[in-house]
Structure formats: C-alpha cells, structure tokens
Amino acid sequence: MSGPSSYQPSHPALKWFEQRLPIIGLVHSSFVAYPTPRNLNYWWTFGAILSLMLGVQIITGVILAMHYTPHADLAFKSVELIVRDVNYGWLLRNMHACGASMFFLAVYIHMFRGLYYGSYKAPREVLWILGVIIYLLMMATGFMGYVLPWGQMSFWGATVITNLFSAVPYFGESIVTLLWGGYSVGNPTLNRFFALHYLLPFLIAGVVVLHVWALHVAGQNNPAGVEPKTEKDMVPFTPYATIKDFYGVTCFLIFYSWFIFYMPNYLGDADNYIPANPAVTPAHIVPEWYYLPFYAILRSVPNKLAGVIAMFAAIIVLVFLPWLDAAKTRSNKYRPLGKQFFWIFVVVCIGLGYLGAQPPEGVYVVLGRILTVLYFAYFLIVLPLLARIETPRPLPNSIADDVLAKSGRKAVATAAVALVAVASLFAGSMGEARANEGTETPPSVKWSFAGPFGKFDRGAVQRGLKIYKEVCSNCHSLNYVAFRNLAEPGGPGYSVAQAAAFAADYKIKDGPNDAGDMFERPGRPADYFPAPFPNEQAARSANGGAAPPDLSLIAKARSYKRGFPWFLIDFFTQFQEQGPNYVNALLQGYEDNPPHGVTIPDGSYYNKYFPGNAIKMPKPLSDGQVTFDDGSPTTVAQYAHDVSTFLMWTAEPHMEARKRLGYQVFIFLIIFAGLMYFTKKRVWAAAH
Amino acid sequence: MTASTADHPTRRDFLFVATGATAAVGGVAALWPFISQMNPDASTIAAGAPIEVDLTPVAEGQDIKVFWRGKPIYISHRTKKQVEEVRAVPVSSLPDPASDQSRTKDGHEQWLVVIGICTHLGCIPIAHEGNYDGFFCPCHGSQYDASGRVRQGPAPLNLPVPPYQFVSDTKIQIG
Ligand code: FES
C-alpha cells in the first residue's frame, strides 16, 4: 500500500499472475519490505494484537452464530446449550465473551499510546480519525453483542442504552420505537441486534483496511516522534516488526488465556445468568467495564439531554484532537508538562471507570462531576494551552540517535504491569457495585473445585443431587440439566447405566401419541429434570407470590461485593466462588428470631445473607432430613456444602475440562513465549 | 546479519526451527475445537438413542414410516407372495447383490426394515410403487423391490438396513 512494489517474482507462473493482479507485490510491499522505524517499543505491538482480536472475534462469532437462536424465548437457552452441549462450546463462548474485553483493553492501550506519542499529529490526522471511527463501531458492536445472551443485564442494558436516544428533542420517542421495533425492548429488538452484531465487525474490518492504508501512506510514528531521515533509521517490517509483533501477541495470549480458562466470569456480571425478565430491573444496572467512563460522564450531568450530549461529546472530542493539540513536538517523552498531564488524564479516565460502576449517590456524584470536568479540560484547555506555554526538551537528531540512548526492557515491564493493573481495576470496580447494605457477606468456604487444579468432590456432588431430588426439587426446577449429564465426565461420576436408572425413576410427559393424547413414560437419559410446576404463574401462586428460581445456573447468577483490595487479589488467586459461597451461606443463614429492630413481613423469613433479609423461602433444610449411604454427617452445614457443590456443577458442568485444558494451554504458551523471546532477540541482534 | 549466521549457524537454525515447529503444532491444535464444534452436539447425540417400535398395528401388506435420527425408516409387513418373489430372484443378477435373507431377521422374514433414503441422491422413495412391488423413487426413477434392493434406475446401492433387533415378536428396537 505504499506505491509501486519492488517485488519481482522469479517463477514464470507467479510473474504471469503478478502482471494481471499485483496482489503478492501489494502484500510484499506492505508487510515484508515496508520500512518501519527501528525504535518502536512494545506499545506498538498492540496494533498486531488488535488485528488478532478482530480475527478471533469474527471467527468465534461466526461459529457461535451457527449454534445461537436469536429469539426472545430461545436465546438464553441456546447460549446455555452452546456452553453445555456443543463440542468445545464453552471454550468458544469464553473466547468470544472475554475476547470482547481483551479487544477493548487492547484498543484503549493502543489509543493511549497514540495519545502519549502524539501519533494523531500531522500527517496522521486521517489515520487517527479512522481509528476513532473503528472505536465507535466497536462500541456499537460490543453493546449489541452483550444483548444477545438475553440475560437480565442484556435486557436492561439494551433498555437503558436505547433510551439514551429518547433525550433527542421532539423525535426522541419515535426514534426509540424505531430502534426497538416495538413499544418496548423485545423479540424484534433482539433480532435486529443480532443481524447488526454480525454485520458491524465486517465494517470494522473494512475501516481497519483504510486505517492500515493511511498508516502505510504516512508511515509509522515512533517513540521519539521524529520523522525518519535515512535508511539507518528504519528496518524492514519482516522479519523485524513481524517477529516482535508475534512475540507481543504471544504474551497477550497468555493474559487472554488467564480469563478464558480460569476467570471467564471475572469481567462479566452475575445478573446476566438470570434470563431476561421485563418485570424486574436488577438493583444496579452496570454496563460492561469498557463503557464505564462514559457511563460515569452520562450520570454526572443532571440534565437528561445534556448528559447524553456530554457522553457522546466525550468520544467525538477525540476527532478534533489533532487540531486541539497544536504543539510542534509529537512525543510526550520530550514534553515535561505534557507528560505529567497525560498521566493525570489516564488516572482521570480510570477514575471515571471506577465511578461508572458505583451507585450514583453521595460522594460518587461529586467525584464524577469533578472528573468529567477534568476529562474535557484535558482536551479543551490543557492541550491547547500547553502548545503555547510549554518548552519542550531537545529532540534527538534522528531515530538512530534515539535508539542509542534508550533502554527497551523497561517498556516491556511497564506494559505488563500496566496491563494487569488497569484490567483488574476496571473489572474489580464491577464487583464493587454489587453492594447490599444490611446484609452479611457470606464466609468464604474452601471448595474442592476452586483454583487452577480444582476438581469436583464426586461424593459431595452425589449427595447434593440426592438433596436436590428429595428437598429442593419440590419447588425448584433444574431446566438445563439432563439425566445424561449425570454420566458425563467431570460430574457426579455415575455410569451410563446408573444415569439411565436414575432417569427411569422419573415420570416424563411425552406426546402426542397417534391418538393425539399426551402420556407419561419413564424418563430416559436424554430427558431433562422435570420442573415441579407447569409454568411460572403456577410456581408463583404456590409459593406466596415469589416464583422459586431455576437452580441450574444459580451458582453463577448470585454474587456479592468483594470490595477493595479483594477484587485485585482475586484476579491473581482466581477467586470465582462467590456463587457457591452465597448459596452455602444462605442455606445456613436462617434465624428464628430476627435481630432486634428488624421486622419481617408475614410470609417471609429472616435470613442474614439474603439481600434485604426477608426471604420468601422457608428454612428448607434441617438436621437429619436427608440420609447418606457414605456416612457423611446429616447436618445442615453438610447439606449446604453438598448442595452448593452440586449446583456449581450444574452451573458449569465442564469446569474440570476447562481447567484441564487451561493447564495444557498455559504450558504450551509459556514454552512458546520463551522460544519467541529468544528468536526475537536473535533476529534483532543483527539490527542493533 | 551475515556475521551472526557465520558465528553459530547450527544453534541459530535450531532455535528458528524449534520456534516454527512449536508455532505449527500450536496452530494445528488450536484448529481442532473449531472443527470439532461442527459435529453433532451432546443433545443431538442423546436424542439419537435407540427407539422401540410396536409392530402390532401393522397388518400384512401394510407399512409404516418412523423417524430415527431424523431419517425415515420404512417398516413393511410383507405378504407371503412378496417374500417368495424377492427370494426367488437370482442374487447374482442384481446391481448390488444381496440375498433377502441377509437383509431380514431369521424367523421374522415377513418384516422388512430399511432406511427410506434413496441411495442415488437422497430423496424418499414411495412404498408399494414401481414394477417390483417395492419402492419407487420419484426424483430420478430408481426402483427397489420388496427387499429394498435396487433393481432399476440410477441408484447404485440397495436401501440400507438400519441396526435393529426384535425385542419380542411384536416389538423392535432400532439403533
Ligand atoms: S434420488 Fe432417488 S432416483 Fe435420484
């Protein structure tokens, strides 16, 4: 993409082809011979990382679409079936869901890199603006993708975000109705979001081509921010940049795999494991972490229309950045003041992200307003002003001079540290938002399935199944679990025959038969656990107005606030057991007499771990209620532990497979990263 | 570049080959989940479990069609005449030689169980039609006899017999 190619094919067939379509020459001149500044640091590998992430998202996305059903009644279920039944479905889904976060993390690092080194300045304005367009498209794609699983956060996120457009004067309501295809978020909304979510990534890919084209016309910026002058300033893209990019990508894959295999739900919201319910809004609507700074800006402005304008302006202002910052010096390396303000701006953005996850009350509102002002001040006041008053340090004469002076190793270390710190900060702030005042935090239990090598305790899963069958199943369904699952590896460890015998104990409604009648037959392994009530209304009316929730996913659908600094530590310890901790605590949290001053309405019971303390479910378990063959104590504490273990298994039947594969992938990636490191050093030895 | 090649040619080569080979192994291994996901998922496999069919309602000369793994299965209660006819045909004269004995179960020779998918291009042949008192495929005119063996037309093979056995005299299990 940089003028006529120097590529000369030697084979006559290639020559013949090249004269008719010079595509090999194009690739050769763009990705092989293309001269790249020799002083690029590892922050520059995020371009390659982003290309990888776009590819991963498109490939896993196309595959998920093969198994997904975009219908309001079936979407949630189809996602569960992908994770439970499709070969490696859990892996593909984790790759896609965590991939979105990795994509945004990489794009933010890429953008901050551009900001720090002045990559938006002449002659790269169009390159930068194309980048902003890609970013906007990514936000739209990410938002619509998050709606597709059709959980509670999907539904209410869709409602809240589409309602932003109702702020438009006069036409607001009509625009929102148009977006929805109905009078509320519903099936038509889901369908169109699916279609657009499939379309937009290809638009992104198209704009990426323009972005790379513009890059190859203007040439890459570099940490020194001086334009290359001689041959000595440059190295050919292949092998130098290629090998460095591959090494960067490999290191990023290690980070990415940490989420895929060990922390798949760390960046998600537990509420999204509850199917969409138009009648109940979750206590705190929190968008995905990558939107949080803008969400904070939206909420900081007390006026609806002004808030929406401020939020969009926060992104649009980036388009004007090349003209707002008129400083001649590109790189902040040589701008003593610019550098300080840059880091303050980074902190402001992270701060806004943190506030976006907090409830909009008290000090958070005040802080949000201050940071919003600071955000805009950076672009509208600080940058224009600095261009006038700042005296930059002297620039190096050439890139080659810069290379002699720099130490590259520092950049790698800072990159790694910053990556982890930023990710955990953002993600952890999600957990922060799930505060429940007046409720005790469930104690952490030592689970056999916790940690990177965790495995289910077969005995506990089997006992939990017995308790479910004898007690819980009287009111709670287990819709996503089939009898055949009992014989699958990584579960209670029953044989196929045992699972079939277990299934045969149940009466399953089937039909219609040839006469058109429904009939009952003994269960088969392919059948699912039958629900205790025929529909939600029946469940509701039989249980004092509160329908007992389905238990298949309960261990992933419940969580609680971890708080600072735990959410940071959790990232490293792979703590993911809020759900089972909560279930375990709740089952033991009943007290006959509520503490002084707490009144519990009639038909409710006091439970110290239940949010709000008044739970409609009476104390379900008491000592000696269920007997065990294996001599385990028949106490409520044991029951609670076993049921929680069982429900963790029903929530994620392939957890053992996930951790086992993760272990193998990590060994491979670490060996490979080591090899890449030495290969990269060997290749670059010739350039230094 | 040339200098370092001369210094340690073998070590350098080994490093590059090892890295390249590891990348290739990883790349191929990473492909597997993407291919494997196309196979039938666990619920489809579970739904393909064996089925039982009660034969009592099928009178002589009649047939029924049941579905197993999404495929139509013809169960024909053949008449004496049909059985005698298909057993009288010299096996060697058939396009896809197979005796009727090998396509039915001993002691239950009146029952023919075949997958009703034309071996030409997958249409469903119509029972009790054609010149051989068997099956006739409307798509391109293949004809099968009362043993499901191809007799005429473009189909290369006989209608396949699914795995099945008699649970009792009046009940079979397919699969
Ligand atoms: S498909 Fe039956 S004859 Fe062609």
Side-chain angles (χ1 to χ4, degrees):
Chain A
M1 296 184 193
S2 51
S5 166
S6 58
Y7 174 70
Q8 292 299 339
S10 49
H11 195 278
L14 285 179
K15 218 176 250 169
W16 178 90
F17 186 77
E18 190 67 9
Q19 277 159 7
R20 281 147 185 88
L21 182 69
I23 192 165
I24 308 175
L26 179 73
V27 171
H28 184 268
S29 61
S30 307
F31 298 105
V32 179
Y34 178 69
T36 173
R38 67 192 310 157
N39 61 339
L40 298 187
N41 57 32
Y42 276 98
W43 298 112
W44 260 263
T45 60
F46 279 89
I49 289 167
L50 283 165
S51 317
L52 169 89
M53 286 320 302
L54 179 61
V56 166
Q57 290 303 86
I58 288 181
I59 292 170
T60 54
V62 167
I63 287 174
L64 289 172
M66 294 180 193
H67 302 281
Y68 169 77
T69 315
H71 186 283
D73 296 339
L74 303 170
F76 187 89
K77 190 176 179 196
S78 76
V79 173
E80 270 313 303
L81 294 187
I82 289 173
V83 170
R84 286 157 193 268
D85 287 342
V86 173
N87 296 344
Y88 294 100
W90 59 268
L91 173 64
L92 295 161
R93 200 227 169 170
N94 286 356
M95 283 175 81
H96 197 72
C98 303
S101 283
M102 295 301 113
F103 203 168
F104 273 98
L105 180 67
V107 92
Y108 282 131
I109 293 174
H110 192 66
M111 288 163 77
F112 276 123
R113 191 268 287 155
L115 204 57
Y116 184 82
Y117 292 112
S119 298
Y120 48 84
K121 294 190 184 194
R124 299 186 181 83
E125 300 93 326
V126 173
L127 172 62
W128 171 262
I129 292 168
L130 286 167
V132 176
I133 292 172
I134 294 173
Y135 175 54
L136 275 171
L137 286 171
M138 277 175 66
M139 290 183 107
T141 312
F143 158 64
M144 286 191 264
Y146 193 57
V147 174
L148 301 186
W150 212 237
Q152 272 292 67
M153 274 296 161
S154 301
F155 184 90
W156 290 101
T159 305
V160 169
I161 301 296
T162 45
N163 264 317
L164 291 179
F165 294 92
S166 69
V168 175
Y170 306 117
F171 307 108
E173 286 303 315
S174 328
I175 293 176
V176 172
T177 310
L178 184 86
L179 290 175
W180 287 342
Y183 303 110
S184 60
V185 173
N187 194 48
T189 325
L190 176 60
N191 258 303
R192 62 190 58 185
F193 277 20
F194 176 61
L196 292 173
H197 183 69
Y198 203 114
L199 168 73
L200 289 185
F202 296 97
L203 289 188
I204 293 179
V207 186
V208 165
V209 169
L210 297 181
H211 190 66
V212 174
W213 187 5
L215 172 73
H216 283 210
V217 170
Q220 280 169 291
N221 185 26
N222 64 81
V226 293
E227 290 296 321
K229 294 189 181 104
T230 61
E231 287 268 295
K232 264 174 45 196
D233 291 341
M234 312 296 275
V235 286
F237 194 85
T238 302
Y240 296 100
T242 325
I243 200 81
K244 197 169 184 173
D245 281 349
F246 271 121
Y247 177 56
V249 162
T250 311
C251 294
F252 191 80
L253 281 179
I254 295 178
F255 181 72
Y256 180 18
S257 301
W258 189 260
F259 288 98
I260 298 176
F261 294 105
Y262 296 122
M263 309 289 285
N265 295 313
Y266 185 66
L267 297 168
D269 196 303
D271 275 325
N272 226 26
Y273 282 109
I274 304 170
N277 182 353
V280 183
T281 306
H284 296 286
I285 301 270
V286 183
E288 289 290 81
W289 68 268
Y290 32 87
Y291 303 126
L292 288 175
F294 302 103
Y295 194 59
I297 291 176
L298 169 80
R299 294 193 312 190
S300 299
V301 184
N303 176 287
K304 180 172 171 179
L305 178 59
V308 174
I309 290 175
M311 188 184 76
F312 282 108
I315 302 168
I316 299 305
V317 71
L318 293 172
V319 170
F320 300 98
L321 181 59
W323 295 278
L324 288 168
D325 177 10
K328 287 277 171 295
T329 309
R330 282 208 193 95
S331 172
N332 268 319
K333 253 171 105 177
Y334 305 103
R335 298 181 59 185
L337 289 175
K339 188 190 274 178
Q340 286 173 32
F341 279 106
F342 169 82
W343 286 111
I344 293 171
F345 177 68
V346 172
V347 172
V348 166
C349 289
I350 294 175
L352 279 170
Y354 176 79
L355 292 174
Q358 304 310 313
E361 53 200 27
V363 65
Y364 296 130
V365 178
V366 182
L367 277 174
R369 291 193 182 144
I370 295 172
L371 292 190
T372 302
V373 170
L374 290 180
Y375 180 93
F376 284 104
Y378 180 70
F379 291 107
L380 302 178
I381 301 171
V382 174
L383 286 180
L385 205 64
L386 281 186
R388 289 161 188 271
I389 62 168
E390 189 182 35
T391 339
R393 298 219 312 270
L395 293 175
N397 274 328
S398 69
I399 292 176
D401 282 3
D402 179 54
V403 172
L404 292 177
K406 77 170 188 150
S407 76
R409 213 132 307 152
K410 221 174 70 195
V412 189
T414 32
V417 170
L419 212 73
V420 171
V422 171
S424 29
L425 247 180
F426 269 114
S429 51
M430 299 276 301
E432 282 280 275
R434 323 216 54 73
N436 287 311
E437 290 78 18
T439 311
E440 277 187 46
T441 305
S444 282
V445 178
K446 249 183 93 60
W447 298 106
S448 67
F449 50 81
F453 305 108
K455 282 198 164 48
F456 287 111
D457 171 353
R458 310 268 167 251
V461 178
Q462 293 183 359
R463 292 191 299 270
L465 171 64
K466 189 160 193 271
I467 300 164
Y468 170 76
K469 188 182 174 185
E470 290 178 18
V471 184
C472 322
S473 67
N474 291 319
C475 303
H476 292 278
S477 56
L478 200 59
N479 288 337
Y480 300 116
V481 184
F483 297 118
R484 64 184 155 86
N485 296 138
L486 300 174
E488 279 165 10
Y494 286 124
S495 67
V496 175
Q498 281 172 312
F502 189 93
D505 279 354
Y506 283 82
K507 288 266 163 287
I508 303 292
K509 200 165 195 182
D510 201 350
N513 60 16
D514 291 342
D517 300 322
M518 303 302 282
F519 58 94
E520 278 195 340
R521 57 163 176 78
R524 299 178 190 140
D527 290 321
Y528 286 79
F529 276 84
F533 300 104
N535 51 51
E536 202 193 314
Q537 284 75 0
R540 197 177 294 285
S541 80
N543 287 283
D550 183 77
L551 292 186
S552 323
L553 279 165
I554 206 84
K556 288 205 284 190
R558 294 291 183 273
S559 192
Y560 50 86
K561 173 181 166 160
R562 283 290 281 173
F564 185 85
W566 281 106
F567 65 79
L568 287 177
I569 297 168
D570 290 347
F571 173 79
F572 297 99
T573 57
Q574 302 183 351
F575 177 79
Q576 290 259 285
E577 284 77 35
Q578 286 101 319
N581 281 346
Y582 173 81
V583 175
N584 177 64
L586 184 92
L587 291 172
Q588 302 180 66
Y590 285 88
E591 264 158 39
D592 293 337
N593 302 312
H596 197 70
V598 178
T599 46
I600 296 296
D602 264 0
S604 292
Y605 305 86
Y606 177 80
N607 189 311
K608 58 181 172 180
Y609 298 110
F610 189 72
N613 297 122
I615 186 168
K616 288 270 188 184
M617 170 170 76
K619 185 170 188 281
L621 294 162
S622 44
D623 288 346
Q625 192 176 355
V626 181
T627 55
F628 294 135
D629 301 335
D630 63 0
S632 298
T634 55
T635 58
V636 170
Q638 183 70 32
Y639 295 155
H641 169 272
D642 293 346
V643 161
S644 307
T645 307
F646 171 68
L647 291 178
M648 190 64 231
W649 170 71
T650 64
E652 200 184 344
H654 297 304
M655 181 200 274
E656 289 187 10
R658 160 163 75 80
K659 291 181 174 178
R660 195 176 338 109
L661 188 59
Y663 173 64
Q664 293 160 355
V665 167
F666 263 84
I667 290 182
F668 173 84
L669 282 179
I670 287 168
I671 291 173
F672 185 59
L675 283 169
M676 282 302 296
Y677 175 72
F678 289 111
T679 305
K680 185 250 153 198
K681 260 182 87 161
R682 203 40 89 74
V683 167
W684 276 81
H688 288 313
Chain B
M1 211 169 179
T2 41
S4 67
T5 322
D7 285 348
H8 306 285
T10 47
R11 240 173 78 193
R12 179 194 160 106
D13 289 352
F14 174 73
L15 180 62
F16 288 177
V17 169
T19 310
T22 315
V25 168
V28 170
L31 271 183
W32 177 240
F34 295 86
I35 296 164
S36 171
Q37 55 83 22
M38 303 275 276
N39 266 320
D41 69 20
S43 65
T44 311
I45 293 171
I51 54 165
E52 288 192 347
V53 183
D54 182 15
L55 302 179
T56 15
V58 192
E60 194 174 295
Q62 280 192 341
D63 48 18
I64 56 167
K65 209 187 322 179
V66 297
F67 275 85
W68 175 66
R69 296 197 167 168
K71 292 177 179 152
I73 311 269
Y74 276 114
I75 303 172
S76 306
H77 193 169
R78 304 185 292 184
T79 58
K80 284 246 152 46
K81 184 170 151 278
Q82 281 179 307
V83 175
E84 277 161 19
E85 260 174 34
V86 293
R87 297 202 164 184
V89 180
V91 169
S92 54
S93 70
L94 296 168
D96 178 14
S99 67
D100 184 61
Q101 283 85 345
S102 70
R103 297 173 54 79
T104 50
K105 302 276 186 226
D106 272 353
H108 302 286
E109 57 280 336
Q110 70 272 39
W111 294 103
L112 176 75
V113 181
V114 287
I115 298 178
I117 295 178
C118 181
T119 57
H120 180 223
L121 292 171
C123 293
I124 298 185
I126 305 164
H128 291 301
E129 288 223 4
N131 306 336
Y132 301 91
D133 200 9
F135 304 87
F136 169 75
C137 181
C139 286
H140 315 94
S142 289
Q143 306 221 15
Y144 301 86
D145 63 16
S147 186
R149 296 175 302 194
V150 63
R151 300 294 287 272
Q152 194 180 317
L157 298 171
N158 302 334
L159 294 177
V161 178
Y164 76 97
Q165 66 258 1
F166 279 85
V167 188
S168 70
D169 270 355
T170 57
K171 202 174 227 179
I172 59 168
Q173 188 194 48
I174 301 174

